[in-house]
Amino acid sequence: MVQKIVILDFGSQTTQLIGRRVRELNIYSEIIPYHKYPYGREAEEGIIGVILSGSPLSVYDKDAFRVDLDRLLGRVPVLGICYGAQLMAYSLGGAVEPAPSREYGRALLEWTDGTSPLLEGIGQGAQVWMSHGDTITRLPEGFKVIASTADVRFAAFASESQPVWGVQFHPEVFHSTCGMQLLRNFAVGICGARCDWSAESFIETTVAELRSTLGDDKVVLGLSGGVDSTVAAVLLARAIGDRLTCIFVDHGMLRLNEFHDVLAEYKKLGLNVLGVDASDKFFADLAGVTDPEKKRKIIGADFVEVFDREAHKLEGVRWLAQGTIYPDCIESLSITGTVIKSHHNVGGLPERMNLRLCEPLRLLFKDEVRAVGRALGIPDSLIGRHPFPGPGLAVRILGEVTREKVAVLQQADHIFISGLRREGLYDKVWQAGVILLPVQSVGVMGDERTYERAVALRAVTSTDAMTADWAHLPYEFLASVSNEIINKVKGVNRVCYDISSKPPATIEWE
């Protein structure tokens, strides 16, 4: 059985980072909503430790998120982070109050208990990152302080009788320089994790689970041309062979020549792929639509409809597989109910499809998906591709989507991506593309006044798509691309470069 550290999500924007950091230790972690913990089933589930995440709420709020600590504590080691620590302190009889001023940013541990297993190798002067408006002012009976900063007396604490710890800082963030050591101390030193989770072990476990779950059933998978659906397809093919049928839909908003080029690549991999041109339907349904969420939902609904139609042509299909990954799930709906943006491949399927959903990559981050793909032997020409949104260029066209706009954007995008490859910059960038802006600008071309479209280049660096920084591409390269787009793409006379990071912006504009 795979060991796992479970992170109970109370709505913090850094919850996913906790999971990422634990996985960097080659330990499998799983994020689940705080109210869905399987009390009493730790052994059956392989749970060896629990981490309580932060939250935007206060523990003394009427509607604060809570867990049943009586049923949780004592069964497996528990670590509370920020809100998680405050929740334990408050619920067990301590005191949590609003801090005199919001405690945010770098802090140094002025004192640490050198005997605490949680703080092994972490001494005085270690830098941590604070981000809270409340603070613990009194510990519950039977607990002791194990670390303090100049402003936070109870920066870390521990139970004197149970394997329970709490920290008011965030060890998962980059600026907590001792954070990985603390998480290692908890997961390995305290919980006894074996550190044996890897891409290879994921493949072995997932293939076995797929064979058990799917049995002799047939599966239809929606290929998009991207890394995620490609890896999902090859993984499923390894598990069930020719009982997998892949459908690659051309919604008319893929990159230039991508439908035919990628379809050929899939057939080289030995996948059973059907190519479907459904572009007329997508463009018709998107006519006149400008709202980003409506566009995504229309495209998602159309995908479902196309799959439904094509799946009914296949005899005995009972499952629809998708390349959904963790960031898709996290962005689509947080535990607080706040939607960042919807993803066309996330959510329940209409009952009329009569197909069950299979998402073998649902708990992987993008870099983990690539590692799994390489372990499966998928060539770098597919695995090394930049992420590309499921709705395609539709979410890179601000405003109404038309064939004419897509044609313009395909040409500009092709120039940008080809330039990145030519100059050896493609693999140094996480994701890149061009956005067609809903504005026109005055220009001068051939001694004549023009009034044409503007486009924005977007290129970012990242590791998991949860955060991203704009790529600092050479000015000479940007100038060259701008010149080539303006000279070769009819209808464009201005090129901009997007230098916003995520957060506060998202990678895509819509």
Side-chain angles (χ1 to χ4, degrees):
M1 178 180 292
V2 176
Q3 293 180 327
K4 71 173 72 168
I5 300 291
V6 165
I7 297 99
L8 294 188
D9 182 15
F10 292 96
S12 170
Q13 298 221 354
T14 62
T15 298
Q16 66 273 10
L17 288 180
I18 305 173
R20 286 284 301 122
R21 298 296 178 254
V22 174
R23 291 190 189 184
E24 287 171 11
L25 298 170
N26 294 117
I27 302 165
Y28 180 64
S29 65
E30 188 171 326
I31 299 171
I32 63 175
Y34 72 95
H35 57 284
K36 292 188 176 181
Y37 183 75
Y39 295 103
R41 293 184 51 81
E42 287 82 3
E44 294 91 330
E45 299 282 345
I47 300 172
I48 60 172
V50 174
I51 298 176
L52 310 182
S53 82
S55 173
L57 304 178
S58 295
V59 296
Y60 47 76
D61 288 344
K62 178 182 178 182
D63 298 323
F65 300 149
R66 295 182 174 84
V67 292
D68 190 341
L69 293 177
D70 289 339
R71 299 172 63 192
L72 175 62
L73 301 185
R75 298 191 63 87
V76 292
V78 176
L79 171 65
I81 294 176
C82 197
Y83 177 92
Q86 295 170 1
L87 178 64
M88 289 193 296
Y90 183 79
S91 300
L92 298 175
V96 176
E97 301 175 9
S101 62
R102 181 173 170 80
E103 294 162 339
Y104 180 84
R106 294 177 180 84
L108 300 178
L109 297 180
E110 290 198 337
W111 173 83
T112 61
D113 182 349
T115 67
S116 172
L118 185 69
L119 301 180
E120 182 179 347
I122 301 173
Q124 181 178 341
Q127 178 177 289
V128 297
W129 190 263
M130 298 287 185
S131 180
H132 55 261
D134 297 328
T135 191
I136 299 170
T137 56
R138 187 182 73 252
L139 291 178
E141 184 177 349
F143 283 75
K144 63 178 181 178
V145 60
I146 58 173
S148 302
T149 70
D151 298 317
V152 181
R153 179 184 176 191
F154 304 115
F157 61 86
S159 168
E160 295 176 329
S161 60
Q162 294 180 312
V164 178
W165 290 264
V167 294
Q168 287 208 79
F169 53 88
H170 288 268
E172 71 274 19
V173 302
F174 173 78
H175 293 96
S176 287
T177 55
C178 62
M180 283 299 290
Q181 181 64 45
L182 187 146
L183 291 173
R184 181 188 297 276
N185 290 343
F186 177 73
V188 180
I190 294 171
C191 299
R194 293 190 296 263
C195 300
D196 57 0
W197 189 76
S198 62
E200 290 77 11
S201 66
F202 172 83
I203 293 170
E204 181 181 355
T205 301
T206 303
V207 166
E209 291 175 349
L210 288 170
R211 288 172 177 166
S212 175
T213 301
L214 301 176
D216 295 327
D217 292 347
K218 293 182 179 180
V219 180
V220 59
L221 180 144
L223 285 172
S224 69
V227 175
D228 305 333
S229 62
T230 299
V231 173
V234 175
L235 187 63
L236 274 160
R238 177 169 293 193
I240 64 173
D242 60 7
R243 286 184 285 112
L244 170 68
T245 300
C246 302
I247 297 176
F248 184 24
V249 174
D250 181 7
H251 51 31
M253 292 159 280
L254 297 172
R255 283 175 162 150
L256 190 66
N257 300 323
E258 185 165 24
F259 180 67
H260 299 290
D261 293 346
V262 174
L263 191 60
E265 290 274 7
Y266 284 146
K267 291 185 176 179
K268 288 180 183 178
L269 281 173
L271 295 174
N272 178 24
V273 184
L274 302 176
V276 179
D277 182 357
S279 57
D280 287 345
K281 173 177 178 55
F282 282 87
F283 280 114
D285 291 346
L286 288 169
V289 179
T290 60
D291 180 79
E293 274 298 293
K294 288 183 180 179
K295 286 197 288 187
R296 285 180 173 271
K297 291 183 183 301
I298 287 170
I299 292 170
D302 281 359
F303 263 110
V304 170
E305 186 174 335
V306 172
F307 281 129
D308 184 33
R309 183 189 69 208
E310 297 301 322
H312 275 84
K313 297 177 182 178
L314 305 171
E315 187 176 345
V317 172
R318 297 187 61 188
W319 296 81
L320 172 64
Q322 297 183 145
T324 310
I325 66 173
Y326 228 175
D328 297 340
C329 305
I330 295 168
E331 285 192 332
S332 291
L333 183 65
S334 75
I335 195 65
T336 61
T338 302
V339 175
I340 299 174
K341 62 182 178 183
S342 63
H343 290 259
H344 80 275
N345 58 342
V346 177
L349 295 172
E351 292 183 2
R352 65 180 175 82
M353 288 191 68
N354 197 31
L355 295 177
R356 300 175 67 183
L357 189 61
C358 176
E359 297 173 314
L361 308 179
R362 189 178 182 87
L363 297 178
L364 293 186
F365 292 91
K366 179 69 76 172
D367 56 325
E368 295 171 331
V369 173
R370 285 202 171 98
V372 168
R374 291 189 175 95
L376 286 168
I378 301 174
D380 282 342
S381 59
L382 289 173
I383 290 302
R385 288 165 58 88
H386 288 171
F388 188 67
L393 299 179
V395 293
R396 293 181 181 175
I397 296 174
L398 307 192
E400 182 183 12
V401 179
T402 66
R403 285 188 182 275
E404 180 267 333
K405 290 181 181 178
V406 170
V408 170
L409 186 54
Q410 283 177 330
Q411 295 175 61
D413 180 85
H414 181 70
I415 290 172
F416 186 30
I417 298 302
S418 297
L420 288 170
R421 292 186 184 279
R422 183 175 60 249
E423 298 299 323
L425 297 169
Y426 186 85
D427 292 334
K428 297 179 181 179
V429 171
W430 168 267
Q431 186 169 340
V434 181
I435 296 87
L436 186 65
L437 304 180
V439 296
Q440 291 178 280
S441 68
V442 173
V444 178
M445 300 178 72
D447 294 327
E448 294 182 359
R449 177 186 183 276
T450 62
Y451 189 59
E452 296 179 336
R453 302 184 187 280
V455 299
L457 309 181
R458 178 69 159 152
V460 299
T461 57
S462 182
T463 57
D464 54 20
M466 300 309 304
T467 60
D469 192 15
W470 62 279
H472 294 234
L473 299 177
Y475 291 156
E476 294 80 5
F477 169 76
L478 293 173
S480 173
V481 168
S482 173
N483 186 63
E484 188 174 357
I485 289 175
I486 291 173
N487 284 331
K488 293 183 177 180
V489 182
K490 186 176 180 180
V492 175
N493 70 353
R494 191 175 300 272
V495 176
C496 310
Y497 188 50
D498 181 353
I499 59 170
S500 52
S501 299
K502 176 185 180 180
T506 53
I507 295 176
E508 297 295 342
W509 280 41
E510 290 191 345

